[in-house]
Amino acid sequence: MTAVGIDAIEIRSGKLRLDLPNTFAPQKGDDPEKYTKGLGLTNSSFPDVYEDIVTMGANAAKRLMDRKGLEPDDIGRIDVATESAFDHSKPVSTYIAGCLEKVYDGDFVHANKGERKFACVAGTQAVDDAYNWIRAGRNRGRAAIVIATDTALYARGDPGEATQGAGAVAMLIAEDPNLVELSNDQGYGSKDETDFLKPNQQFPSVDGKRSMQVYLSRMREALEDYESVAGKIELDDFAYAPFHTPFPGMVRKAALLAYRHVIRDTEYEDDLAGEIGRQPREGEYDDREAYEEAIREYMDELKTTEQYRTWYDDAVEPTLGLSREVGNWYTSSVHVARVSALRDALERDRDFVGETLLVASYGSGAQAEIHAETVRERWRSEVEALDIDDQLERRYDLSWEEYEDVHDIHEYDKDLDREIEEFTAPEGEFVFTGWGRMNE
Ligand code: CAA
């Protein structure tokens, strides 16, 4: 069977930068290390006055099409994943296709378009939809473009404010892909939860601490479900494990949970037993509380072991490089983590073809998904083509007052009492010019 997967990726960052330790922390009266060490974030990307989810998505998709030499006729499907949609009826993919039609000969009349919503996991769900469409033979030789795009903003003063970000990832899903082949095996952990919601409101109502617990619970279920179809996960089989990254500190917790789960009843657990004992088993305790306390103690020990540190430093830490610089991009966050991993492999000049990634996606509300993907022969040229370093380098550095302006201008319902000028100049790109109109 022909391989199906991600052929190419483009990333588009918001063009502004908020420095967390030097600009945000002093305003909050916080120790800068709460952000750099605790949350694990250094900077956030923000959209300029003329950027939004449509322009960032369209700019990423255009670069993808141009770099791959694609015309609209080559694309049979455009799916957008977002949790920042401004339209409850018309999918963001139609707005983006409308932008693209302004600059290409031909149109996307033949292309199926849609919008996927399930918080941050929607980006991976849209990739799955495109994969299924191709595997079902409905693509008529065409590829799909999946765009994950978000302005991940929180209300001013919300604890989530430090984790904001804005950007888009466009992915070409195709047969015989250059980058990674997607495996057919998936595992899910899915449950009705109310820790993070946006019922007819722009900024989320979020119970941050609970949202972290929900992330971990759904992830554990997804790992179990994945193993029920793909067999026991062997850590040595995976070069990297990119997780959904709302902030790197969350991934530190998720990685530890995944490690504990995966080593249970294996020789890894036996190897560690002399040092930190075996994992607590629920039946060994009188009640759930005592068991959970014992698990916490075991995890505290586990994270200090050399075995765990080595795995984390090799397979997880390299997935966080971009996230530390851009913040949470919601639907594209796990796809940014994958790119960080691929860039790490490139930097280290790894012999990477045929290696496997264990990808852990998550969306509040809540659902986790685990799947594996295998690196393809032509991965290197795809990663070399990324221009994200240049974009990050060129971001405009916001002062605190400018950050307040940017937040205000992107708040849909806010009555602004002042004019806010753009901070950067558009350069041959799609810009937001007002509702209902998108011009280059
Ligand atoms: N030096 C080093 N570390 C420090 C520190 C210092 N001076 N001060 C604090 N820290 C550490 C804390 O110990 C903590 O780390 P641990 O959790 O490992 O103990 C970390 O920095 C954060 O500190 P707080 O817990 O005090 O931070 P907070 O309460 O202000 O906010 C948050 C944290 C609740 C996660 C908040 O950022 C939030 O609400 N975020 C939005 C929700 C979110 O991202 N949830 C993640 C799971 S849901 C999801 O993944 C979906 C999604 O994309 C939103």
Side-chain angles (χ1 to χ4, degrees), residues 271-293:
D271 289 350
L272 284 170
E275 203 180 328
I276 60 169
R278 285 175 63 75
Q279 295 191 26
R281 267 58 175 176
E282 194 163 2
E284 298 163 359
Y285 294 84
D286 292 341
D287 55 51
R288 181 89 197 161
E289 211 175 303
Y291 168 64
E292 282 174 2
E293 182 52 33

Side-chain angles (χ1 to χ4, degrees), residues 10 15 49 73 80 91 101 103 112 118 157 175 197 227 288 305 347:
E10 287 295 342
K15 293 169 86 171
V49 171
D73 261 356
V80 168
E101 283 174 349
V103 294
N112 185 19
F118 197 144
E175 291 171 89
L197 340 152
E227 288 186 324
R288 181 89 197 161
T305 62
E347 267 166 38

Side-chain angles (χ1 to χ4, degrees), residues 249-263:
M250 183 70 235
V251 172
R252 271 202 306 268
K253 295 177 200 298
L256 184 62
L257 171 123
Y259 191 84
R260 176 176 78 82
H261 173 86
V262 166
I263 66 168

Side-chain angles (χ1 to χ4, degrees), residues 4 45 59 66 100 299 302 313 319 370:
V4 177
S45 287
N59 286 317
D66 289 349
L100 296 172
M299 302 270 265
L302 182 62
D313 289 348
T319 69
I370 303 283

Side-chain angles (χ1 to χ4, degrees), residues 29-137:
D30 284 334
D31 180 351
E33 294 202 339
K34 172 177 174 181
Y35 302 97
T36 52
K37 295 206 167 141
L39 295 174
L41 292 167
T42 309
N43 291 298
S44 303
S45 287
F46 279 87
D48 205 334
V49 171
Y50 56 86
E51 295 184 289
D52 74 350
I53 53 170
V54 173
T55 67
M56 291 188 300
N59 286 317
K62 176 160 187 306
R63 191 167 195 276
L64 184 74
M65 288 184 64
D66 289 349
R67 184 165 74 70
K68 302 297 288 186
L70 297 168
E71 295 295 329
D73 261 356
D74 300 316
I75 306 301
R77 187 177 173 109
I78 302 178
D79 286 322
V80 168
T82 185
E83 52 188 297
S84 320
F86 48 82
D87 191 318
H88 292 298
S89 173
K90 195 172 131 61
V92 170
S93 51
T94 60
Y95 290 87
I96 290 181
C99 288
L100 296 172
E101 283 174 349
K102 290 185 195 306
V103 294
Y104 290 105
D105 288 336
D107 56 43
F108 292 99
V109 170
H110 57 274
N112 185 19
K113 305 177 190 90
E115 187 175 302
R116 255 291 188 173
K117 181 176 71 176
F118 197 144
C120 309
V121 76
T124 299
Q125 289 182 320
V127 170
D128 291 342
D129 291 342
Y131 170 87
N132 294 339
W133 171 73
I134 296 174
R135 287 290 296 264

Side-chain angles (χ1 to χ4, degrees), residues 31-35 37-39 83 120 154 158-163 195-196 206-209 211-212 215 244-247 249-250 252-253 328 330 362-364:
D31 180 351
E33 294 202 339
K34 172 177 174 181
Y35 302 97
K37 295 206 167 141
L39 295 174
E83 52 188 297
C120 309
Y154 291 77
D158 187 287
E161 192 181 2
T163 68
D195 54 309
F196 180 109
V206 54
D207 180 344
K209 301 284 182 207
S211 74
M212 296 168 74
Y215 180 128
H244 167 60
T245 312
F247 52 92
M250 183 70 235
R252 271 202 306 268
K253 295 177 200 298
N328 192 358
Y330 287 161
Y362 174 73
S364 294

